[in-house]
Amino acid sequence: SLSCRLYCEEEKDPKRRSCQTVLAQALDIVVRSFAPILPHLAEEVFQHLPYKKDSEGVFRTGWINASSAWKKPGIEEAIEGACAMRDSFLGSISGKNSLEYEVIVVIEPGLLFELMEALQAEETSSISQLNEIMMASQTTLLSELPKDTPTDANIIKGTFLINLEGGDIREESSYKVIALPIAKARCPRCRRYTCDSSSTPCPRCLKVLAGKGST
């Protein structure tokens, strides 16, 4: 999640810095967009931006010109697919704390599975982009249903239509989402259930704290 990246990651961690970059870019576009309608407010916001600016005023920056580097092929579909699976997960737990669960996502080999692998390279992770989107404490990405899946597990089925390159590539893929209560303790620092003991931070937080201590 956004708060976890900003407040739990190490200060110069690429995840934290990339999040700050996106927030700065979004703010820049929003401010320049409403500048013709709310000039005084836009200028006040621009003058208080906490980073170096190329111009002295918002009206000297020119119009919006987003970099093509933001247009990474497939990333929009990957995020939308993950959000569809997240909605299935959250709907299955009826307003309960999502961090108290681990999620198993099952997708048959194909384009949708490859897109999800771009968000989570490991089979199981508590710090991947996919897990951040799912809002769980841990996410497992598989190509087939685990043999040890509990018989009473609530398996949510869904489909997602992938539309790439202006419709030249279209593929409807099915997926399954299983939410299981996680059997780990809550980390006292990041509040995710990723610890063996509630008195000790999780491995990710221990690494961050060790880095702070050495600087």
Side-chain angles (χ1 to χ4, degrees), residues 97-103 124-126 131 136-139 179-186 192-195:
N97 183 2
S98 62
L99 291 176
E100 295 179 357
Y101 290 83
E102 62 174 309
V103 178
T124 300
S125 178
S126 61
N131 188 65
S137 277
Q138 179 176 287
T139 297
L180 301 173
I182 195 161
K184 292 188 177 182
R186 189 176 75 166
R192 290 187 177 182
Y193 290 77
T194 52
C195 297

Side-chain angles (χ1 to χ4, degrees), residues 123-174:
E123 182 177 285
T124 300
S125 178
S126 61
I127 59 174
S128 68
Q129 294 180 69
L130 178 59
N131 188 65
E132 288 184 353
I133 294 171
M134 296 302 291
M135 299 171 62
S137 277
Q138 179 176 287
T139 297
T140 299
L141 178 63
L142 301 172
S143 58
E144 59 182 16
L145 203 63
K147 294 180 180 179
D148 58 350
T149 301
T151 55
D152 60 344
N154 184 16
I155 302 176
I156 309 300
K157 299 179 180 180
T159 60
F160 180 73
L161 178 62
I162 300 169
N163 192 344
L164 290 171
E165 298 183 8
D168 291 339
I169 300 177
R170 291 172 63 87
E171 182 178 301
E172 186 172 52
S173 300
S174 60

